[in-house]
Amino acid sequence: SSDLEMQADPAYKARIAQEAAEAKRMADIGIKTQEDAMSAQGNIQRLTNFENALEAGKFRTGTGASTELALRRGALALGIGDEDAVQLAGDFESGAVKDLLAAAGGSLGPGISNTDAKMLSKMSTSLAKTPAENLSVIRAAKAVEQRKLEVAKFQRQYRETHGGDLDSGYYNELAK
């Protein structure tokens, strides 16, 4: 009968409801972290493609780069030029890197604060910026995406050693 009395106690019911809500919140965090990691690998590859193309001079940024891109597009219309390089520069111009930066926002755990992630999402690349400025933004975005992979891996390891669940100790361990 004491079990029934305890289950009828409003404080007990409130504690059970609170524990259930916390378990759901932690499960949602786990799902979001793993989803972010799944997209991070592709994002890293796309950023690496831009980085490599900039370093190899496949397209130019800085003074006159927008004009050069327009001329290259015109040359392509005449059947002259490297279509892949023009496409890459066009993607770069259209904000493909900015889209990746915006996707990098959110909570990434210790090491990258929410403020840092928001600042990063406001950074942008552009044909008007120097290659060094653009490479700096791209490398920062790659670091954020890499952090997503690291946090997801840590989370999987944490679950393996904690009965398959994320609990209140997860964030303490992540901060170490």
Side-chain angles (χ1 to χ4, degrees):
S1 119
S2 65
D3 281 346
L4 290 176
E5 289 172 4
M6 185 174 70
Q7 290 175 9
D9 179 25
Y12 174 79
K13 287 180 179 180
R15 191 179 93 239
I16 295 299
Q18 183 179 10
E19 289 173 3
E22 179 64 11
K24 182 185 179 327
R25 188 179 74 81
M26 293 304 287
D28 289 346
I29 288 169
I31 291 167
K32 174 86 170 90
T33 300
Q34 297 306 314
E35 287 173 346
D36 287 349
M38 287 190 296
S39 64
Q41 193 62 51
N43 291 345
I44 289 170
Q45 186 58 53
R46 289 179 62 203
L47 289 162
T48 299
N49 290 344
F50 283 119
E51 180 181 35
N52 291 342
L54 267 173
E55 288 175 336
K58 288 197 180 228
F59 67 93
R60 198 169 63 75
T61 66
T63 305
S66 292
T67 303
E68 182 180 316
L69 178 57
L71 291 171
R72 285 182 173 210
R73 285 177 173 151
L76 268 183
L78 299 172
I80 304 166
D82 180 352
E83 186 174 345
D84 291 339
V86 172
Q87 179 66 45
L88 195 59
D91 289 348
F92 191 84
E93 178 189 44
S94 70
V97 174
K98 185 168 178 65
D99 293 343
L100 291 171
L101 291 169
S107 180
L108 302 170
I112 299 177
S113 71
N114 288 347
T115 302
D116 292 340
K118 286 178 185 172
M119 181 202 67
L120 182 62
S121 72
K122 292 178 183 171
M123 294 172 70
S124 66
T125 55
S126 98
L127 289 179
K129 290 184 177 180
T130 67
E133 290 171 318
N134 285 319
L135 286 170
S136 177
V137 173
I138 289 169
R139 289 175 181 146
K142 282 177 63 176
V144 169
E145 295 300 319
Q146 186 61 44
R147 176 67 178 161
K148 289 178 184 180
L149 294 173
E150 292 166 3
V151 169
K153 180 180 179 184
F154 173 81
Q155 187 182 89
R156 290 188 302 274
Q157 292 169 340
Y158 185 90
R159 284 175 181 239
E160 286 176 12
T161 59
H162 290 81
D165 294 325
L166 296 180
D167 55 30
S168 59
Y170 167 71
Y171 286 113
N172 293 333
E173 290 296 315
L174 184 60
K176 289 182 182 179

